[in-house]
Amino acid sequence: MNAWYQQTAPQQDVVLSTRIRLARNVASLPFGSRLSRDQREQLDTQVQQALETIHLGDNSLSFLRLDDMDPVERQALVEQHEISPDFAKNPDGRLLVLSQDGSISIMVNEEDHLRIQVLHSGLALKEAYELCNRLDDVLDSQLGFAFDRKLGYLTACPTNLGTGLRASVMLHLPGLQQQKMISRLADTVGKLGLTIRGTYGEGSGVVGAVYQLSNQITLGITEKDAMENLENVTAQIIQSEEQARKALAQNQTALEDKLWRSYGVLKNARLLSSEECQQTLSWVRMGVAMKLLPPIPYSTLNQLLLTTGSASVCKDEGQLLRPEDRDRVRAGYVRKVLQEN
């Protein structure tokens, strides 16, 4: 089965992925750090039993204990956006429910008892929400989530009160970044109840001109309204990015030189650092979208973007690698994938 990021979806020239995440807590258990070890294990068991009733066809669920994974395996899941950095850093007593294609990820005993997450390639808010809501309903019926008529779903952090919903899209914005318009964009979306962050969320840096746009408001708003607002703003950002790319194309010779040099590096390099790989992939993705480079499937570009981080390379090799060895293996992997497509 292909990974979630290899799906074909709308607006993939700008929108890499969609994520719906719900924060939930079980009413009968203490929140967060107040949970005892026995209560954590009790929650793990209850979650597994609840999910045995849901049918997902071939996309079966696995139950993975984080403290059975080594740090490299956990970090590889972060690089592929399937778990949060905090969840990976503190594995003790934490359970991960992961679907075969990685599109479903339920983090048990993160900041909240449950973080129910669904990922889709491209712009697919409705589809991601429908699956996430289905999982939410099954778990709520079995576990009983903490809910208040005035405040909505009760969460460990007040910023998640209400719907407990974080809807986000990963945007590839090289045009706006080159035009130095990201700061202005962040100010604009902030006034519309949204926030724009780095590649791996709050507090992270930006890799390869990839930004995360998500809703800020969870209280006093419905899930539908939050997602419609995000989708409308995303449509406007897509238009702005397309205009920024057209502006860059006014100096077409310089742009094509940069695009083809980047393509040449990926096709021929024998050593490729993580940073150089991400930057050149960013240029190549834009070049493919603008039809200035040979057509490479977005599924292939997504695969390279999400599986060439340092931890992912080491995981695939089955061992820790020195930096120079990682760069060699990464370069060979990129060449091989591009030759196959």
Side-chain angles (χ1 to χ4, degrees):
M1 176 178 287
N2 287 338
W4 66 268
Y5 46 78
Q6 293 176 300
Q7 301 165 355
T8 299
Q11 305 291 350
Q12 285 186 296
D13 54 337
V14 176
V15 184
L16 278 73
S17 64
T18 297
R19 184 193 72 179
I20 298 292
R21 192 198 72 199
L22 298 173
R24 297 289 188 259
N25 290 280
V26 178
S28 61
L29 293 173
F31 280 21
S33 60
R34 296 173 57 206
L35 273 178
S36 68
R37 182 76 183 189
D38 287 346
Q39 287 170 325
R40 285 174 177 261
E41 292 178 359
Q42 174 190 339
L43 179 58
D44 290 351
T45 301
Q46 290 176 335
V47 168
Q48 292 187 55
Q49 289 175 344
L51 290 172
E52 286 174 359
T53 65
I54 194 165
H55 300 287
L56 299 166
D58 294 336
N59 198 20
S60 58
L61 298 175
S62 297
F63 300 90
L64 311 169
R65 295 197 173 277
L66 241 63
D67 44 18
D68 289 340
M69 296 183 188
D70 62 43
V72 169
E73 289 179 289
R74 299 197 300 269
Q75 186 58 32
L77 290 169
V78 173
E79 291 174 355
Q80 293 167 27
H81 299 280
E82 289 166 6
I83 64 173
S84 67
D86 178 71
F87 196 66
K89 287 177 185 175
N90 301 289
D92 185 45
R94 288 178 161 177
L95 175 73
L96 173 65
V97 183
L98 190 67
S99 65
Q100 189 173 341
D101 68 353
S103 63
I104 298 171
S105 170
I106 303 174
M107 292 169 273
V108 184
N109 291 314
E110 209 235 28
E111 182 181 49
D112 295 284
H113 291 158
L114 296 174
R115 291 288 176 91
I116 308 166
Q117 175 177 284
V118 171
L119 293 160
H120 268 269
S121 185
L123 184 59
L125 283 163
K126 180 181 178 182
E127 294 82 353
Y129 176 75
E130 286 177 350
L131 178 54
C132 201
N133 189 53
R134 181 182 167 199
L135 294 163
D136 183 41
D137 288 345
V138 168
L139 288 163
D140 190 16
S141 68
Q142 299 291 317
L143 304 177
F145 292 145
F147 185 84
D148 181 89
R149 288 193 176 188
K150 290 184 178 179
L151 297 176
Y153 288 101
L154 303 181
T155 55
C157 180
T159 58
N160 290 319
L161 275 174
T163 62
L165 170 76
R166 286 282 180 241
S168 63
V169 289
M170 299 295 292
L171 301 169
H172 183 224
L173 305 176
L176 291 172
Q177 182 173 279
Q178 288 295 313
Q179 299 283 357
K180 304 189 185 303
M181 296 175 67
I182 299 297
S183 179
R184 186 190 305 174
L185 175 63
D187 290 340
T188 301
V189 301
K191 296 172 183 175
L192 299 170
L194 303 174
T195 184
I196 192 162
R197 296 185 170 123
T199 308
Y200 295 99
E202 187 173 3
S204 67
V206 177
V207 180
V210 175
Y211 296 83
Q212 186 181 118
L213 179 71
S214 62
N215 66 301
Q216 275 188 306
I217 301 171
T218 59
L219 188 61
I221 187 172
T222 67
E223 291 95 336
K224 181 181 177 182
D225 288 342
M227 290 189 297
E228 284 182 353
N229 184 40
L230 177 60
E231 189 154 23
N232 290 337
V233 173
T234 298
Q236 295 175 41
I237 293 174
I238 290 171
Q239 290 182 350
S240 297
E241 172 62 21
E242 290 171 346
Q243 292 169 1
R245 293 179 185 185
K246 288 177 182 177
L248 291 177
Q250 289 179 2
N251 189 351
Q252 188 159 339
T253 300
L255 177 61
E256 286 189 352
D257 183 69
K258 182 68 177 178
L259 298 177
W260 280 97
R261 283 177 183 271
S262 297
Y263 184 59
V265 167
L266 294 180
K267 291 275 285 186
N268 298 288
R270 263 49 188 175
L271 293 173
L272 196 58
S273 70
S274 178
E275 181 180 0
E276 184 178 21
C277 184
Q278 299 292 319
Q279 294 298 336
T280 49
L281 274 170
S282 177
W283 284 106
V284 167
R285 189 184 189 95
M286 184 172 72
V288 169
M290 297 175 71
K291 296 182 171 49
L292 296 174
L293 286 179
I296 304 171
Y298 287 115
S299 59
T300 298
L301 295 172
N302 291 345
Q303 176 186 345
L304 291 174
L305 184 69
L306 294 173
T307 60
T308 54
S310 296
S312 297
V313 170
C314 291
K315 179 187 173 185
D316 287 345
E317 286 294 294
Q319 60 180 319
L320 283 173
L321 299 171
R322 296 177 303 169
E324 56 267 35
D325 290 328
R326 284 202 308 263
D327 293 352
R328 175 182 52 78
V329 171
R330 181 184 293 110
Y333 171 68
V334 172
R335 293 197 312 273
K336 180 176 182 292
V337 170
L338 289 177
Q339 286 168 2
E340 292 173 350
N341 292 271

